[in-house]
Structures are given as structure tokens and as C-alpha cells.
Amino acid sequence: MMRQVSIIGAGVLGVSIAFWLSDLTDSEVTILDRESEPAKHSTSRNTGVVHRPFFLPPEAKATVESWIKSYDLWRELAMKKGLKFEVNGQLEVAKNDAEISVLRKHQEWARLNGMRDDEIAYLEGNDLRRLLPESLAEGALMSVNEANVNYGELVEELFREISGSVKFVGGFKAESVSERGGKVVVGGLLGGSRYEIESDLVINAAGNGSLSIYRRMKGTGEPGEIHVKARYWRLEGSCSLPRINVFTVPKYEKFPFLDPHYIVRVDGTFDLGPTVSLSYDGFDYDSGSMEVIMRLILHSSLGDLKGYLSLLKSGMLSLLLRDGLRMFSSEHMRRFFSWVMPWIKRCELVAKPPGIMHYLLNEQGIDQQVRIEEVGQTLHVLNYDAPGATGAPYFSYYIVRLLLDRGYLSPGKGLRYELWRTLPGS
Ligand SMILES: Cc1cc2nc3c(=O)[nH]c(=O)nc-3n(C[C@H](O)[C@H](O)[C@H](O)COP(=O)(O)OP(=O)(O)OC[C@H]3O[C@@H](n4cnc5c(N)ncnc54)[C@H](O)[C@@H]3O)c2cc1C
């Protein structure tokens, strides 16, 4: 039976879910977004790496699977739409024996996670210096298949692909989700006026906005959440820059993206970052630190305050503060990274627009799992961070299969698109 499905959020996750819904199920799909066009937030504000899972522990099965299975789907989309998918590879560099043993562990994880032996190699310091002259690193893992892309452009193309069969309501800021007469009603603001959209099923894929929609529907201030603003810096000037992504062995293994890293961009530029600061919400890119702190004190929910307390107890905040200025100041970040690429001291750093990450908080501090919460006829995808843009094509397929398997939706009459045929057939 044909069902009406509304998706809140036209980022990489929402648009990929819409693709699979209209391809595999008998449903009429509408995407709602607060912006007038898709992919205006994290999807276009990230570093554009299609990751390989060598630094993920094999226990993170869902993320590993979605990274492995999505890789070829991104490549296929880029090829078909004439967009760049540059296989530049990635180095993870170590400066001492303790860090080299982490590299050895990551090499083993790569194997356990299904990467081929010829995708990853250990380089001794001298071999590494052919790629990074003057580097003080003692060894590195080289993963050859990391790709650099522009996720924003890829998602815009995916959106164009489905635009004939999926409806888009832009400029609609969803504020509430409730149930009435067997239907789910999304209420919100459209052009300054209140507006309601009725459907049989709602999928909340609103990224940085998803938790507040969930909390309002449940009538709770929990769980707590923290928003971290991450800024990257474009490297300019007369300094030669290699065409391979470079990460250091992460100081905090569970947060491999906090340590400064170097990224090749497909527009021909090179980035170093991130420097981080707190953000009041998922869309506040501009406020200064004092304003953010005041707003956090005045407006945080009880769940947020409990979460901040468990962050303090977990020691995470003090660890970050102890790490000091390299997390917060671009100059100190550059100095920190210069043992890896000494010539980077000669580059100029130009600030880029930041992105915002959101993390749910639990008793242990930061919750690292994606959470799929069913509330009546609404599926909320919360804490969607780890599979990230890399894993979205497969993770969204997994969600649509889940809806089919549970009988919320029925299968469509036939596959609609030429794209991404390898998954439904497999
Ligand atoms: C700085 C940074 C670097 C990153 N680097 C990488 C990387 O190199 N590789 C990688 O794989 N991942 C990376 N990520 C993670 C990746 O970008 C995200 O996981 C991914 O973009 C999340 O997609 P999304 O669709 O959930 O969110 P978004 O892209 O933010 O989309 C959410 C959508 O929901 C809409 N929305 C929100 N609230 C509402 C509302 N109330 N009503 C209506 N619409 C709403 C927004 O307008 C937006 O369009 C990075 C993230 C950041 C911040």
C-alpha cells in the first residue's frame, strides 16, 4: 500500500534515505528542510574525506560495514555525474615507539575490517621522508585508497537525480512532531507562518537539529548534548604541499579527528585543522565564546547540564584543557603539527567557515553510538556522527531495509534508478 513518508533534513543522510525510499519502497516521499536548498550544513562543511576503516576498532561493526560498502557507491556517483573522486591516500604518522605500536594495531584492524593487504603498508622513517621531506616522524601507516571529494556537490547531484519522484519543501523549520488520527503531523514555520505536514511515517534525519525534535516529541530534556565548532585553515603562500592526507596517531583514540590533520581538497587547496570551540546549538556558526557560555548557562536543559557534569567526571574536559592551546589557537596548532611537516611554518593560515559536530552525552561522558529511536510512527536518527558522510549511502540503505523488514513500508514495484544497483542485488 502506498504510504506517505516525510524526512526532516536534506543533508547527506536525509537525501540518501529519500533515494532508497523512492527506489525500493511503495511510498510518496517528501523532504523538509529549514534551508531553501539541500546540503547546506555539515554535508557541505566537512573535510571531504571518504574514509577507509583502518583506525576503527573491529567492534564498531556498523560503521566499518557502512564505510566499506559505501566507498564504491560514492565513486560510482562521482563518475556518473562527472564530479571529482580523487584517490590521494592517507598517512598516519608516529613519532615514537609507543605510537608505532598503535600503527601496528591499526594495520591489524585494517585486515580484520576487511581491507586488502595491498591497501595498507607500514613505512619506516626514511621511506616516509620521500613523501614528507624533513619530517621528524619515525614511521607511518600508508592507506592508499582514501579519497577526497566534495560531499556537498555529490549530495546536490543525488538530490537532482531523485527530484522527479521526491517532493521538497524548503524553508520549513520543523518544530514539533505529534500523532493525530493515525497520521504523524510535523508542525513548523514556513515563510514566517505556522504550517503542518501530515504523513504516515516521519524520519528525523535533521543532523544537528535532530535531538531537539526528538526531545520535543518525547516531552523530555534528555539525553544531553554538546555542540563543538570545528574550524579548518587553508594553507597558502610559498610552501610546497604534498597530495596525500596526513593524520598523526590520535592522542585520544576514541576521537581520531581532534588532533590536527592535513587534508587535500578537490578544489586544489590544502587544509590544516581543526581548532575547536563550543557552540550553543547546531547552527550557531558565528557567536563568540562569552556569548556561547552565557547562552549555555541560561538555556541548557536539565539533561544537558547532567551531561556536562558527566563530561567533567569522565575527565574529557580536563584532558582537552590540559592539551591547551593547540586545540584552540591556529598558531599553536601549526606549531604542534610542524614535527610532521616542518615547512608548514612558512605557510599562511586562512580561516575557513567552521562546521559543527554534535555529540549525545551519557553517564560515561560522550556517547559514540548512532541511536535509532522509534517513537510511534517516527524514526529518529540521533548522534549521526561516526558513519558520517563516508558511510551514509549504506547506512541509509540499512534504515530503509529496516523499515521494510518491520512492515512499516511495502516494497516498490521495481527499481527506479540506474544508480547504486550493486546493493539491492547483493
Ligand atoms: C568539520 C567537520 C568535518 C567532517 N569531516 C568529515 C569527513 O571528512 N568525512 C566524513 O565522512 N564525515 C565528515 N564529517 C561528518 C559528516 O559531515 C556528517 O556526519 C554528515 O554530514 C551528517 O549528515 P546529516 O545529513 O546527518 O547532517 P547535515 O548535513 O547537517 O544535514 C541535516 C539537515 O537537516 C536540516 N535541519 C536541521 N534541523 C531542521 C529542522 N528543525 N527543520 C528542518 N530541517 C532541519 C538542516 O538544514 C540540514 O540540511 C565532518 C563533520 C564536520 C562538522
Side-chain angles (χ1 to χ4, degrees):
M1 189 182 57
M2 169 77 88
R3 310 210 73 200
Q4 289 166 322
V5 185
S6 295
I7 301 168
I8 311 174
V12 61
L13 185 62
V15 173
S16 311
I17 292 173
F19 172 87
W20 291 118
L21 282 174
S22 84
D23 199 41
L24 302 177
T25 73
D26 187 17
S27 36
E28 206 177 278
V29 183
T30 304
I31 313 183
L32 318 170
D33 201 284
R34 55 186 276 154
E35 306 299 340
S36 55
E37 289 166 25
K40 285 291 160 235
H41 290 285
S42 295
T43 296
S44 291
R45 288 169 174 264
N46 57 41
T47 46
V49 181
V50 186
H51 293 289
R52 304 296 290 154
F54 66 90
F55 52 88
L56 288 181
E59 303 83 79
K61 279 201 181 71
T63 304
V64 170
E65 186 177 24
S66 60
W67 284 13
I68 292 274
K69 292 197 170 158
S70 296
Y71 186 87
D72 285 338
L73 305 184
W74 281 125
R75 180 165 46 196
E76 181 194 343
L77 177 64
M79 299 288 186
K80 287 206 164 126
K81 302 298 176 184
L83 294 174
K84 287 186 175 164
F85 183 94
E86 288 181 353
V87 181
N88 291 313
Q90 186 160 308
L91 289 168
E92 184 182 25
V93 295
K95 60 171 173 305
N96 54 37
D97 288 349
E99 291 191 353
I100 287 172
S101 64
V102 177
L103 297 186
R104 295 293 187 197
K105 182 172 70 180
H106 287 180
Q107 194 168 17
E108 177 60 5
W109 284 358
R111 195 183 61 75
L112 294 171
N113 289 340
M115 287 174 66
R116 296 187 319 268
D117 285 348
D118 62 357
E119 279 193 82
I120 192 132
Y122 178 77
L123 304 181
E124 301 287 349
N126 287 338
D127 294 330
L128 174 68
R129 274 180 277 285
R130 288 197 204 118
L131 294 168
L132 304 181
E134 302 168 45
S135 177
L136 300 176
E138 301 239 318
L141 262 193
M142 182 158 94
S143 167
V144 294
N145 280 334
E146 262 72 13
N148 296 95
V149 298
N150 180 325
Y151 281 116
E153 286 177 3
L154 285 164
V155 172
E156 282 164 24
E157 281 299 338
L158 187 62
F159 179 76
R160 234 167 262 140
E161 178 85 11
I162 60 176
S163 58
S165 36
V166 167
K167 197 172 146 200
F168 179 64
V169 182
F172 176 81
K173 182 167 182 259
E175 293 192 323
S176 63
V177 182
S178 54
E179 297 197 357
R180 194 171 61 207
K183 295 276 183 185
V184 200
V185 183
V186 183
L189 288 176
L190 181 67
S193 310
R194 287 217 59 81
Y195 195 75
E196 286 188 343
I197 291 171
E198 267 192 7
S199 9
D200 299 303
L201 185 76
V202 167
I203 300 172
N204 171 7
N208 287 343
S210 57
L211 184 72
S212 63
I213 295 171
Y214 167 80
R215 293 202 302 204
R216 247 173 271 142
M217 187 176 189
K218 291 271 286 182
T220 164
E222 302 204 36
E225 183 179 39
I226 190 165
H227 291 100
V228 177
K229 187 156 65 182
R231 188 185 293 283
Y232 284 78
W233 300 75
R234 198 169 61 234
L235 295 163
E236 287 194 348
S238 51
C239 50
S240 78
L241 294 162
R243 291 202 66 80
I244 185 163
N245 305 303
V246 185
F247 284 61
T248 50
V249 168
K251 188 156 183 192
Y252 310 116
E253 222 173 331
K254 288 186 173 172
F255 300 98
F257 303 113
L258 277 184
D259 292 86
H261 44 267
Y262 166 86
I263 301 286
V264 180
R265 305 301 306 235
V266 289
D267 63 1
T269 61
F270 302 89
D271 290 352
L272 187 66
T275 49
V276 298
S277 56
L278 283 183
S279 172
Y280 169 63
D281 70 18
F283 308 96
D284 176 14
Y285 298 106
D286 301 320
S287 296
S289 317
M290 276 324 286
E291 199 179 336
V292 169
I293 289 169
M294 286 313 290
R295 293 176 78 185
L296 285 174
I297 292 171
L298 292 173
H299 300 295
S300 293
S301 74
L302 193 62
D304 291 329
L305 294 173
K306 274 202 242 164
Y308 306 152
L309 207 63
S310 53
L311 257 187
L312 279 172
K313 280 198 211 139
S314 74
M316 183 74 196
L317 282 187
S318 52
L319 277 180
L320 292 182
L321 290 174
R322 203 178 316 147
D323 247 353
L325 291 167
R326 79 175 167 84
M327 304 285 304
F328 311 110
S329 135
S330 58
E331 233 1 272
H332 286 80
M333 173 191 67
R334 188 219 319 246
R335 221 173 288 154
F336 171 87
F337 201 72
S338 60
W339 69 267
V340 183
M341 291 163 52
W343 63 91
I344 217 161
K345 290 188 206 132
R346 298 193 287 272
C347 303
E348 282 163 40
L349 295 175
V350 181
K352 296 183 67 173
I356 297 179
M357 296 157 180
H358 63 286
Y359 299 102
L360 295 197
L361 301 172
N362 60 20
E363 296 79 39
Q364 283 77 46
I366 288 183
D367 183 349
Q368 292 200 293
Q369 304 296 321
V370 183
R371 290 195 17 202
I372 300 178
E373 299 284 342
E374 282 176 61
V375 185
Q377 290 148 247
T378 302
L379 198 77
H380 300 265
V381 185
L382 307 178
N383 219 23
Y384 185 77
D385 186 52
T390 298
Y394 181 75
F395 192 78
S396 52
Y397 172 76
Y398 164 82
I399 287 179
V400 172
R401 293 253 36 120
L402 192 80
L403 293 169
L404 280 166
D405 293 347
R406 298 215 179 147
Y408 285 115
L409 299 172
S410 25
K413 294 193 176 62
L415 304 173
R416 208 187 279 258
Y417 307 106
E418 285 302 307
L419 196 66
W420 293 356
R421 284 281 61 91
T422 45
L423 280 187
S426 63

